[in-house]
Structure formats: structure tokens, C-alpha cells
Amino acid sequence: MSLSLSQGSQSGSSVKKIILASQSPRRKQLLEWAEVPFDIIIQATDESYPAHLPPDEIAIHIARNKALAVEQLHHPVLPILAADTIVVLKDEIIGKPACREDAIQILEKLSGQKHAVITGVVILKEGKEIAFADITEVEFHNLSIEQIEFYVDKYKPYDKAGAYAIQEWIGVTGIKSINGDFYNVMGLPVSRVVQALLQC
């Protein structure tokens, strides 16, 4: 599947127009807040990865595949930005929940614990690549089963790694501390991305 959407061409950030290879509404919103002009081109990709990769390289590997798929099929002249976010708890990679029960179990694991949110970013332009991973440490308060079920049933976080969004109710009320970039947890370390795009 591929999809192309235009988001205009005016920019207050001095960053020239790019291609966003993501259907994430949160990444779209963050680029809009940063006033980075972009078109969206989405190409379905395999999100598997070699078992030996460390977590930061897993996120970069998946992001790279997203960017390469758009580059190979659409050949845009603009820089391509792709990203992938994963959650890591005690060496366990936690992806998107498959169902309500899975989301509840994930949040029970995260309750009262520190975990890492890692976003891999890849920017491709004319055969050149900028790639990096940004890591934010997040600690939850102890969450009751009633809080977890309320959140899952109301917000349905099935498209989110770790089964939560930091900008939603559970992030506002359930997170004890954050060490790193808040926006990285939303899905894109946008200030670091802007600095990288200024090099393109």
C-alpha cells in the first residue's frame, strides 16, 4: 500500500520540504508544530529484524527499510524521513498490542517500572544517509488494574508501541518521571530531526 498527501510548502524552521515516510498522526503533528513542510508517502514494509541487533539498531533498521521502500518505488527528489519507535523493558522489546488483553498485560508489566523508549530515525537524500536513535527513559507510577482497564477501554492504544501514548490520560496521570526528550516518546525526537534536516 502506498499513500501520498501534501502538507504545504511554507516553513518557519528554515528546513526545506521533505517526504515523511510514516502514517503516524503523532509524527505528522510534531513536524507541523516544528513548521517543517512535508508530503506523506507511505509504502508497506516488513518490520522484522535480525535477532542479533541491539534495541537502538532495531529501531534504525526498521526505519531504514521504511525509507528505502519509498525511495525505491517513488524516487522522490526531496529528503525522505522515516522513523520507528520501540519500547524496551529489561531487554524485552515491547511492540504494539494485538488486542485488549495484550494491551492490559503490557501496561501491567510497565506499572511501577522504568523502561526505555527508542526512536530510530533515518533520513535519505540522493544516496546519502543520516541515521540515529534517540533514547528516553520513562518511569510509571504503580498503576491499578482499574486505571489500566479504563485507559485501554477509552483510548484503545492498539497502534502504539508499549500500549500507551504519553500525551494521553495515562501519561498525564501515570508517569512518575522522564529522562530525555518528551517528544521522542510521542514518536519523533523532533528537535534533533530538525537539526539533522538542516544538514541536508
Side-chain angles (χ1 to χ4, degrees), residues 4-142:
S4 178
L5 296 171
S6 177
Q7 299 296 323
S9 59
Q10 296 299 313
S11 172
S13 65
S14 301
V15 176
K16 296 178 181 178
K17 194 172 188 179
I18 66 168
I19 299 296
L20 174 62
S22 173
Q23 60 186 343
S24 164
R26 292 160 294 281
R27 293 186 184 119
K28 173 178 176 290
Q29 184 179 52
L30 288 169
L31 287 178
E32 288 172 346
W33 287 351
E35 297 193 17
V36 174
F38 61 94
D39 289 342
I40 297 173
I41 300 179
I42 303 163
Q43 191 65 48
T45 56
D46 178 9
E47 295 195 7
S48 62
Y49 51 85
H52 67 277
L53 290 180
D56 57 338
E57 289 295 331
I58 290 171
I60 291 172
H61 176 85
I62 297 172
R64 180 179 292 116
N65 285 346
K66 293 177 181 179
L68 287 172
V70 170
E71 181 182 59
Q72 291 166 3
L73 289 170
H74 299 275
H75 308 290
V77 296
L78 301 174
I80 303 166
L81 168 66
D84 188 76
T85 301
I86 62 174
V87 169
V88 184
L89 175 67
K90 298 178 181 177
D91 298 324
E92 178 186 357
I93 307 295
I94 299 177
K96 299 173 184 176
C99 59
R100 179 181 185 271
E101 291 72 22
D102 192 24
I104 290 170
Q105 289 177 0
I106 288 171
L107 289 171
E108 286 180 321
K109 286 183 180 179
L110 297 181
S111 173
Q113 300 293 322
K114 290 182 180 179
H115 64 272
V117 180
I118 304 174
T119 299
V121 175
V122 171
I123 301 168
L124 296 181
K125 184 184 180 185
E126 298 175 347
K128 297 180 180 179
E129 176 186 280
I130 298 174
F132 59 86
D134 204 271
I135 303 173
T136 303
E137 184 180 77
V138 179
E139 182 178 4
F140 270 107
H141 290 291
N142 290 317

Side-chain angles (χ1 to χ4, degrees), residues 170-184:
I170 201 164
V172 173
T173 65
I175 287 178
K176 182 177 181 180
S177 66
I178 302 171
N179 183 15
D181 187 341
F182 173 91
Y183 299 107
N184 184 54

